[in-house]
Amino acid sequence: MPTLGELAAFLGVGLRGDPATAVVGIAPLARANASQLSFLANARYLGQLQHTQAAAVILRPDQADGCPVACLLADNPYLAFARATTLFVDEAPAPAGVHPSATVSPLAQLAANVSVGPNVVIDNGAAIAEGVVLGANCVVGERCSIGAGTRLHPGVVLYRDVRIGEQCTVHSNTVLGADGFGFAPSPEGWQKIHQLGGVRIGDRVEIGACATIDRGALEDTVVEDGAIIDNLVQIAHNCHIGKNTAIAGCTGLAGSTIIGANCTLAGGVGVVGHVEICDNVHITGMTMVTKSITEPGSYSSGTPMAPTRDWKRSAVRFAQLDSIQKRLAGLEKQQQQ
Amino acid sequence: MPTLGELAAFLGVGLRGDPATAVVGIAPLARANASQLSFLANARYLGQLQHTQAAAVILRPDQADGCPVACLLADNPYLAFARATTLFVDEAPAPAGVHPSATVSPLAQLAANVSVGPNVVIDNGAAIAEGVVLGANCVVGERCSIGAGTRLHPGVVLYRDVRIGEQCTVHSNTVLGADGFGFAPSPEGWQKIHQLGGVRIGDRVEIGACATIDRGALEDTVVEDGAIIDNLVQIAHNCHIGKNTAIAGCTGLAGSTIIGANCTLAGGVGVVGHVEICDNVHITGMTMVTKSITEPGSYSSGTPMAPTRDWKRSAVRFAQLDSIQKRLAGLEKQQQQ
Amino acid sequence: MPTLGELAAFLGVGLRGDPATAVVGIAPLARANASQLSFLANARYLGQLQHTQAAAVILRPDQADGCPVACLLADNPYLAFARATTLFVDEAPAPAGVHPSATVSPLAQLAANVSVGPNVVIDNGAAIAEGVVLGANCVVGERCSIGAGTRLHPGVVLYRDVRIGEQCTVHSNTVLGADGFGFAPSPEGWQKIHQLGGVRIGDRVEIGACATIDRGALEDTVVEDGAIIDNLVQIAHNCHIGKNTAIAGCTGLAGSTIIGANCTLAGGVGVVGHVEICDNVHITGMTMVTKSITEPGSYSSGTPMAPTRDWKRSAVRFAQLDSIQKRLAGLEKQQQQ
């Protein structure tokens, strides 16, 4: 239960109000009560400011005059709000030590102050650094390494040779290092290509729940520092995700996709294999990326939603588009005569 | 092995035939044998009725005359069939009590007659009501509550503060309450917004396997009573799913999506964030919902499937559509002169 | 660490070079060092051949003259490479026997030489054949059978009545046999249709991570021999996947879809329910299959990716397509007068 004074110090921002006032949570402007903090990050909500019941509001210094309650004055209120959330997480610290039900190889190396939950399995040659938290039922394969401060939530599976950096978070039931989907056709059916690479995850990476990042065929699949990856994302073998790139839920990347730094892929995007996307590219939701992108900017595919009846009419015409264009060209030709 | 008489009583329907005949299973009309029950729910299969070998058929009273075997006379045969399936589930009851390999916090509350499977982990402050079944390897976080008669199949993970109502079913490896995908951009990269809300699931909700429902950023993510959610569905933070709404597999909802009651989303649908869909809306498969929907009805996007060669021709013209329309307008102008 | 002589014998191919040379791994042509094997499977990389530092290269006999190092002469270098990967998997053999933390029903049948990992749960009536490997935390339900040599990676859940053939691989956190998404509408909401069928997987099938294959409603959901299924794929109840068919990541099949043999579905494909796809069909990425396919060939839907600004112009016109065609028809009519 931080006070406004403690919050201002933590955020490194100015305070207009009583530093001794304590706040117990964070809520939206319109719903915050007198013991909650709020924030104004979008001018759209400016109208709600004057009626807010919050204990205090994080806002820009130039917005402070319209605020009927205490203010925390931040140049970037949304970022200050994000940082403030750190203080309000209501979660017991992970118990220190190795739970007696865990199965830890004597050939694994664990730093002194790790938290290994119930039923965790750690295989030979794994190296678990300081402050790592392994939730219940996590499995850490041979020769994996997990950097300091990283947390795996319950049910995460790391196959062998998965290296995760420091201060990462991996959410439940995500699988890192399963075999890439590599098979060669043969007269007897598909011949499996055993996947000999591993997975390398940088520092400060967050990976959502039920996501899959496959091991590389010959070399590692790589996710660079600071990347954030949402739930149910599929990253195939040999992909390379650049620094601070964000990938939203249900997106699937086919094999050997290379994505630059600071890209944002919205939800449900698909990227075909062996393409390269340069830095600073945004892909809108459910776009199918079918070729490399060499210029920063925003890219899209698909068609707009419409009532099904209207949409059907358009869809029928879509299949006639080539003939429509030919008929048009025919008319133009006649016109010119 | 119910008899036809028991079935008629259970379903509350009339019987034409010998009430002592026992049936051992259910099969489609064309394949049912003399010890199996069948049903006629679609006029398309009326032709199969006269040849059926089934022990008995659930059908409408007006269809009974065409039936060569015993009949269960139901106004809604499909619904009666659905109810009848309850009697044919071949599954041992979940063992009573707490399996010795489970790790249950002394600060959790368990009703007397729960079934807690092997390796289950239940954290502090969790409340497990009567008749709850927790399959092997489930993890129940701090302060979660699970209502009477609810079943979690093996491998389900509930993060802290997930509340599930009564008579729900959650299928294996689904994750409820993982962090929503909330990050603020900062000069040093993405600043995590700790997700301070929880998840609230109503009564009689069914959630498929490997699905993810994230905790809310400040308030709860909510799924109302009677909603049904299929496998591999992603429901992002702060979503609100209305009563009896059905969401088919591989659908993804971005953050703060509000969906009304009695909606049906077909498979692979995507919904962008912060939109609202009113009650009684149907979305066809793989539609991208890019804006709010305020009128009940059916909505679609996408293009029809075609042989790739034909499709490519249409796809090329799609990119020329604006110029095609301009050329058309030009011709129209000339025509008018 | 096989020698080139051993490799040639294993692959059944000719060798040009010193059979005593040992190789320690496989790498792409441009990056292989003097202790690594490489391969030339695509004429595109022919230019890299003359500069390769590899110990040896797998290539076609007619390409051998351009190779500066030892050669393994294979008619199908890619297939030979795939087979060679078998020799370079760096993974400890699964420990023999049943881990003491496993919970195995006395009513289950286990062959003598199985490997049952930590925390595995095996229920009544399950039958585990010779050489089966069950990774940590796998759950095997009532009456399941797993054929000789099959491996389940950690966290796989099999509900009751799932039968898997021989030499299969199922990757982590995949769920086989969860309830199909079957519900009948009723005045009180959705009435669950209990799913009374099971799942039957043939021999030599590989299934990726976090995939879901639901049990059938009345009969089994079936995957035939040699099929390969990638991560995060959803296969609904009553589907039938033909022999050697390949399904890439994030694809979803609705209920009762029948897919023939030797088909390839690229990533993110959706197939509506109750359609049939004949043998030898290819579906391109993110296609929505809305009707049955009776002719072999390649099929597609969707629109090409473009910069969002350009795409928006096309998207607006898509919604006007019917009116565009009508305007065109009007002009044509005038022209003919």
Side-chain angles (χ1 to χ4, degrees), chain B:
Chain B
M1 221 166 66
T3 63
L4 293 182
E6 287 163 353
L7 267 165
F10 177 78
L11 300 174
V13 302
L15 167 66
R16 211 181 67 179
D18 180 358
T21 304
V23 288
V24 302
I26 309 184
L29 263 187
R31 285 195 290 279
N33 64 38
S35 59
Q36 290 175 313
L37 179 67
S38 194
F39 65 102
L40 176 64
N42 189 321
R44 214 168 20 156
Y45 299 114
L46 200 53
Q48 299 180 354
L49 183 61
Q50 62 194 91
H51 307 296
T52 191
Q53 308 285 320
V57 178
I58 303 171
L59 40 58
R60 286 208 317 268
D62 63 292
Q63 297 164 325
D65 284 349
C67 180
V69 298
C71 308
L72 289 153
L73 307 167
D75 292 336
N76 183 341
Y78 192 59
L79 179 56
F81 150 67
R83 289 185 174 136
T85 60
T86 311
L87 302 180
F88 294 93
V89 177
D90 184 13
E91 187 176 21
V98 177
H99 193 275
S101 63
T103 300
V104 179
S105 161
L107 300 177
Q109 292 186 315
L110 275 64
N113 56 347
V114 298
S115 172
V116 175
N119 315 316
V120 166
V121 177
I122 303 178
D123 211 335
N124 301 337
I128 316 292
E130 286 189 28
V132 165
V133 175
L134 302 179
N137 302 332
C138 284
V139 176
V140 178
E142 282 180 88
R143 293 180 301 272
C144 287
S145 69
I146 306 182
T150 285
R151 178 177 190 175
L152 310 191
H153 284 276
V156 170
V157 176
L158 310 186
Y159 283 54
R160 66 188 191 280
D161 297 309
V162 173
R163 289 174 290 154
I164 304 182
E166 303 186 351
Q167 304 295 337
C168 294
T169 301
V170 184
H171 286 284
S172 285
N173 290 351
T174 278
V175 177
L176 307 184
D179 287 345
F181 197 59
F183 298 86
S186 89
E188 292 80 37
W190 296 104
Q191 165 68 45
K192 182 174 177 70
I193 299 169
H194 292 273
Q195 303 291 298
L196 307 175
V199 173
R200 182 162 59 79
I201 308 288
D203 297 331
R204 300 177 314 283
V205 170
E206 180 150 342
I207 303 174
C210 293
T212 57
I213 302 182
D214 282 348
R215 63 192 315 103
L218 297 176
E219 301 174 289
D220 289 347
T221 303
V222 176
V223 178
E224 296 284 6
D225 294 349
I228 53 176
I229 297 170
D230 198 1
N231 299 342
L232 291 167
V233 167
Q234 147 74 351
I235 297 182
H237 52 179
N238 313 318
C239 285
H240 191 121
I241 311 299
K243 196 175 169 181
N244 293 335
T245 279
I247 302 182
C250 304
T251 286
L253 311 183
S256 301
T257 299
I258 296 172
I259 301 186
N262 301 310
C263 293
T264 48
L265 279 63
V269 165
V271 183
V272 302
H274 297 271
V275 302
E276 201 159 334
I277 298 176
C278 68
D279 295 351
N280 298 304
V281 166
H282 175 67
I283 312 283
T284 62
M286 293 179 82
T287 291
M288 173 72 172
V289 179
T290 47
K291 59 186 179 204
S292 289
I293 298 177
T294 57
E295 292 293 322
S298 178
Y299 296 82
S300 304
S301 75
T303 77
M305 182 188 72
T308 300
R309 197 171 23 179
D310 300 341
W311 170 79
K312 273 187 180 159
R313 279 197 286 261
S314 297
V316 164
R317 300 307 177 195
F318 178 83
Q320 302 165 348
L321 267 179
D322 198 49
S323 104
I324 285 175
Q325 122 74 22
K326 286 196 174 109
R327 286 158 57 195
L328 182 59
L331 283 179
E332 286 170 333
K333 206 170 175 187
Q334 285 189 286
Q335 200 73 28
Q336 284 161 1
Q337 285 167 352

Side-chain angles (χ1 to χ4, degrees), chain A residues 36-316:
Chain A
Q36 290 175 313
L37 179 67
S38 195
F39 65 101
L40 177 63
N42 189 319
R44 215 168 18 158
Y45 299 114
L46 200 52
Q48 299 180 355
L49 183 62
Q50 63 194 89
H51 306 296
T52 191
Q53 308 285 321
V57 179
I58 304 172
L59 42 57
R60 286 208 316 268
D62 63 292
Q63 297 164 325
D65 283 349
C67 181
V69 298
C71 309
L72 288 153
L73 308 167
D75 292 336
N76 183 340
Y78 191 59
L79 180 56
F81 151 68
R83 288 185 174 136
T85 60
T86 311
L87 303 179
F88 295 93
V89 178
D90 184 13
E91 187 176 21
V98 177
H99 193 275
S101 64
T103 300
V104 180
S105 161
L107 300 177
Q109 292 186 315
L110 275 65
N113 57 345
V114 298
S115 172
V116 175
N119 315 316
V120 167
V121 177
I122 304 179
D123 212 334
N124 302 337
I128 315 292
E130 287 188 28
V132 166
V133 175
L134 303 179
N137 302 332
C138 285
V139 176
V140 178
E142 282 181 88
R143 293 180 302 271
C144 286
S145 69
I146 305 182
T150 285
R151 178 177 188 175
L152 310 192
H153 284 275
V156 170
V157 176
L158 310 185
Y159 283 54
R160 66 187 192 280
D161 298 309
V162 173
R163 289 174 289 154
I164 304 181
E166 303 187 350
Q167 305 294 338
C168 293
T169 301
V170 184
H171 286 282
S172 283
N173 289 353
T174 279
V175 177
L176 307 184
D179 287 345
F181 197 59
F183 297 86
S186 89
E188 292 80 38
W190 296 104
Q191 164 67 46
K192 182 173 175 71
I193 299 169
H194 292 273
Q195 304 289 298
L196 307 176
V199 173
R200 181 162 59 79
I201 308 288
D203 297 331
R204 300 178 313 282
V205 169
E206 181 151 340
I207 303 174
C210 293
T212 57
I213 303 182
D214 281 349
R215 63 193 314 103
L218 296 175
E219 301 174 290
D220 289 348
T221 302
V222 176
V223 177
E224 296 283 7
D225 294 349
I228 53 176
I229 297 170
D230 199 0
N231 299 342
L232 291 167
V233 167
Q234 148 74 350
I235 297 183
H237 54 179
N238 314 318
C239 285
H240 191 121
I241 311 299
K243 197 175 170 181
N244 293 334
T245 279
I247 301 181
C250 304
T251 286
L253 311 183
S256 302
T257 298
I258 296 173
I259 300 186
N262 301 308
C263 293
T264 48
L265 278 64
V269 165
V271 183
V272 302
H274 296 271
V275 302
E276 201 160 333
I277 297 176
C278 67
D279 296 351
N280 298 304
V281 165
H282 175 66
I283 311 283
T284 63
M286 292 179 82
T287 291
M288 174 72 172
V289 179
T290 47
K291 57 187 181 203
S292 289
I293 298 177
T294 57
E295 292 293 322
S298 178
Y299 295 82
S300 303
S301 75
T303 77
M305 182 187 72
T308 300
R309 197 172 24 181
D310 300 341
W311 169 79
K312 273 187 180 160
R313 278 197 286 262
S314 297
V316 164

Side-chain angles (χ1 to χ4, degrees), chain C residues 111 113-116 127-134 146-152 165:
Chain C
N113 56 345
V114 298
S115 172
V116 175
I128 315 292
E130 286 189 27
V132 165
V133 175
L134 303 179
I146 306 182
T150 284
R151 178 177 188 175
L152 309 191

